[in-house]
Amino acid sequence: LKLALGASNRTAACQLRGAMAGPSAAPRGLTQTGYNGNLTPAQRKALVALKEALLAFALDEWDGSDDGVNEAPQAEKPGDAIGKGSAKEVAAEAELLAQSRSGLLRFLRARNFDVLKARDQAVTCCRWRAAVRPWAVDPAFIPTALPSGVWRFGGHTKAGMPILQVDVAEWRPWEYRWGIDEYIRYVAYMMEGACGRMGPGVEQVCMIWSMKGWTAQMMQPLPVRCAAQLLYIWQTMYPERIGAIFLCNVAAMFQGYFFNILRPWMSHRFLSAIYFVGNTPLQRLLEHIDLSQLPRYVGLTEIGGSHQDYPVPYRSVPDELDAFVADLGGPDNLPAASEVHKTIAVPQHSSFDGSASGTHTGEVDLLQGRTFSLEISLVHETVSVDWYISGELHGVVFGYKICRPGMLGDSTLEEGTSTSAPASGAESPIAAPAITGNLAIQEAWAGCTLKLVLYSTYSREDCKVLGYCIGIEAQ
C-alpha cells in the first residue's frame, strides 16, 4: 500500500530493519516484561489481538477497491493547513504499524496492555501520520522553524539512542510563517529524522535541552499551545520513544511555575524521563554519552564535549537520512542497542535536600500492602514544597507528615492528606488523575523531615509504578 501511494518512507524501513535485526532492550533491562524477548502469555495474546485489530481497521478504512488506485495522493503546497489523510493513506499506516512487533508493543506498554485503549491510540496515530506525513515534510513547509536551529540532530548515546539537541533561546513560535501547523510539522520532521537514525534494537531518543534564554514571552497563548502539541505528539504519536530529556540551565520561573502547568499533560512514565541537570551538566551526561558525541555548546549552555557543532538540518527527511547514512558508511554502521548500556537509567532517590531550589522527578515501585516515603529534609532556607504523583492510583492512599527526630523516636508536628486532582482538560489522552499538594514551610520546622507517604491497599498487580515530581523552593 505504501508503494502504491508513492510515499517514500525510508524512516519506516530503518525501523523495520532494526526490529528484524534483534530484540530491543527494555528500559529497565529484561527483568521488565512487555518487550521483545520477554513477554508474558497475556502480553503475547494482547500483541496478537492488537495486530488483528489494526489489520481489521485497515480493511474497514480501505478495502483495496480499484477506485482511485492510479491517482496520486493530493499534493500539498507550503502553507496548506493540516487536513485529513485519505482512507488509503490511513490504511497504509495501519498496515505498516501492524507489521512492526516493536511498534505494537510500544502502544501496548503506553496503555498498560489494554488492547482497546492501545488500538484507539494507534488508530489516532495512523490518522495523524496520514494527515501530517512526517516522512514527507519538506523544508518549504517549515520555512521559519527549520533554519532557526532550535532543534538539531546530534550524536548517539552509549545505549545507541540518537540525540536531539534543543536551543530554547532561538524558539520564537510567534514568528512562524504558517503558525502552529508549521510547528507540528517541525516536531514531526525532527522526530521522524531521529527515528530513522536508530540502529538495530534501539527504540528511544535522548534529548538535551538548553533552557538558558527562556523568557516569560514563551508563556503566552501560542507558545503554550505549541508546548501542549509537543507533549501530545511525543506521547500519542511517538509513544515510548522518549528515553530521557536532560534540561540544562533551567530558569526559576520555568521550573517553579511553567513546568507545573505542563505536568498534567504528562504521563507518569514520561514525567520520570525528565531530568533537571543544572548549569554544568557534563558529568551527568558523561554517564550516558561519550565525550566525542557531545558538542561544546548546545545553544547558550556550555556542555564541554569534543565534537564540533552539529549543523542545522536543511534538507527533507529522506535526504537528511540518506546523507547521514552515507557519512556512516552504510546502514549497517548505525549504532545498535548496547548490551552494557541498555538505556539511560538515572538512579532514583527517595530523599531530597530542602536547602536548594529544584525540581526532582522519578519513579517509585509501590508494593501491595507496603508503604513508601519520599522524604525532604527541611532547613531554615526551605520556603515551600509541592508534589505531583501520577500513575495507576486505584487503591493508593496518600498522606504527608512533618517529623522531628528525638531521643525516643520521631514526633509528628503536622500531618495531612490530599486527594486525586481531576485530569486536565488537555487534549492528550494520557492525562490522568494525580495526587497533588503544596505546603508552606514554617520556620519552626527547620531540622524536621517532610515525609510524603504512599500506601497500596489494593492492586491487581503486586507492584505499581508511579511517577513523581517534587518541587522545592528555598531562599
Side-chain angles (χ1 to χ4, degrees):
L1 284 172
K2 185 62 70 178
L3 292 176
L5 292 171
S8 173
N9 200 342
R10 273 167 270 192
T11 303
C14 289
Q15 295 170 5
L16 287 175
R17 180 173 61 246
M20 292 185 289
S24 58
R28 293 191 178 185
L30 287 179
T31 57
Q32 288 287 304
T33 61
Y35 296 84
N36 279 329
N38 195 35
L39 297 175
T40 66
Q43 290 169 345
R44 289 176 182 271
K45 293 175 67 174
L47 177 62
V48 172
L50 179 58
K51 180 175 181 177
E52 293 177 350
L54 275 181
L55 290 175
F57 164 76
L59 185 59
D60 290 341
E61 190 73 10
W62 182 58
D63 61 5
S65 61
D66 293 337
D67 296 337
V69 164
N70 297 321
E71 295 180 6
Q74 184 178 358
E76 289 185 314
K77 301 184 297 296
D80 283 353
I82 297 174
K84 295 175 60 177
S86 68
K88 289 190 293 183
E89 291 173 306
V90 175
E93 291 292 345
E95 290 204 346
L96 187 65
L97 177 58
Q99 302 308 315
S100 172
R101 178 181 296 184
S102 61
L104 294 173
L105 287 174
R106 287 190 296 105
F107 281 89
L108 285 167
R109 291 196 302 271
R111 308 306 292 176
N112 199 26
F113 278 83
D114 185 315
V115 176
L116 292 179
K117 291 181 179 179
R119 184 261 186 197
D120 290 345
Q121 183 173 341
V123 167
T124 299
C125 175
C126 292
R127 294 192 187 282
W128 181 86
R129 291 183 64 85
V132 178
R133 298 169 181 163
W135 66 88
V137 175
D138 188 87
F141 289 85
I142 43 179
T144 311
L146 187 61
S148 69
V150 174
W151 294 60
R152 303 188 190 200
F153 299 111
H156 287 77
T157 70
K158 297 175 182 177
M161 297 181 190
I163 299 171
L164 288 175
Q165 53 188 58
V166 183
D167 177 15
V168 171
E170 297 297 329
W171 188 50
R172 302 180 186 89
W174 50 87
E175 296 180 358
Y176 289 169
R177 184 176 181 183
W178 309 124
I180 196 167
D181 281 354
E182 180 172 345
Y183 183 70
I184 292 172
R185 289 187 170 110
Y186 185 35
V187 173
Y189 172 97
M190 296 303 300
M191 287 301 299
E192 206 71 7
C195 292
R197 286 164 166 76
M198 294 179 181
V202 180
E203 291 192 32
Q204 294 184 311
V205 176
C206 172
M207 298 187 185
I208 303 174
W209 283 62
S210 169
M211 300 299 295
K212 190 172 184 179
W214 187 88
T215 66
Q217 191 174 8
M218 297 174 185
M219 293 192 296
Q220 293 181 350
L222 178 59
V224 171
R225 287 178 60 202
C226 289
Q229 278 294 321
L230 177 64
L231 293 173
Y232 178 66
I233 291 169
W234 276 343
Q235 297 175 96
T236 307
M237 312 311 169
Y238 295 91
E240 299 286 298
R241 282 297 195 200
I242 307 302
I245 299 176
F246 294 102
L247 299 181
C248 314
N249 259 322
V250 180
M253 186 180 295
F254 176 89
Q255 191 167 229
Y257 177 71
F258 193 64
F259 187 71
N260 295 347
I261 296 176
L262 301 179
R263 284 187 314 195
W265 295 331
M266 303 180 193
S267 70
H268 73 279
R269 295 174 68 94
F270 183 86
L271 184 64
S272 63
I274 300 175
Y275 308 103
F276 292 79
V277 293
N279 301 339
T280 54
L282 181 60
Q283 290 305 313
R284 176 70 70 87
L285 294 176
L286 286 178
E287 297 174 12
H288 315 287
I289 307 170
D290 286 330
L291 190 68
S292 62
Q293 297 294 306
L294 292 168
R296 183 177 178 186
Y297 285 90
V298 172
L300 301 177
T301 300
E302 184 175 2
I303 301 297
S306 60
H307 196 285
Q308 62 182 359
D309 288 346
Y310 289 95
V312 177
Y314 62 93
R315 294 164 287 208
S316 66
V317 172
D319 289 344
E320 284 286 342
L321 287 177
D322 286 346
F324 172 73
V325 171
D327 289 342
L328 287 179
D332 293 337
N333 293 326
L334 284 167
S338 168
E339 290 300 320
V340 178
H341 304 280
K342 289 183 180 296
T343 187
I344 293 177
V346 176
Q348 302 297 325
H349 301 284
S350 59
S351 59
F352 309 94
D353 183 5
S355 63
S357 297
T359 300
H360 309 275
T361 61
E363 288 184 340
V364 299
D365 296 325
L366 185 60
L367 298 177
Q368 182 178 352
R370 303 287 184 87
T371 60
F372 186 95
S373 296
L374 297 166
E375 302 183 357
I376 301 95
S377 59
L378 305 179
V379 295
H380 288 289
E381 291 80 11
T382 311
V383 176
S384 66
V385 176
D386 69 83
W387 55 87
Y388 182 93
I389 302 169
S390 61
E392 178 50 62
L393 298 176
H394 180 69
V396 174
V397 177
F398 171 83
Y400 71 85
K401 55 184 178 179
I402 305 294
C403 298
R404 182 185 298 280
M407 294 292 292
L408 301 178
D410 291 350
S411 59
T412 301
L413 303 184
E414 181 170 321
E415 58 186 345
T417 186
S418 61
T419 57
S420 297
S424 166
E427 55 184 311
S428 173
I430 55 83
I435 296 171
T436 63
N438 182 285
L439 189 64
I441 306 303
Q442 302 177 18
E443 290 187 9
W445 294 346
C448 298
T449 300
L450 169 60
K451 295 184 178 181
L452 308 177
V453 184
L454 297 160
Y455 175 73
S456 178
T457 60
Y458 166 78
S459 174
R460 293 182 179 178
E461 301 175 348
D462 293 333
C463 178
K464 290 176 178 285
V465 180
L466 305 179
Y468 67 80
C469 178
I470 295 176
I472 299 173
E473 182 183 356
Q475 295 177 344

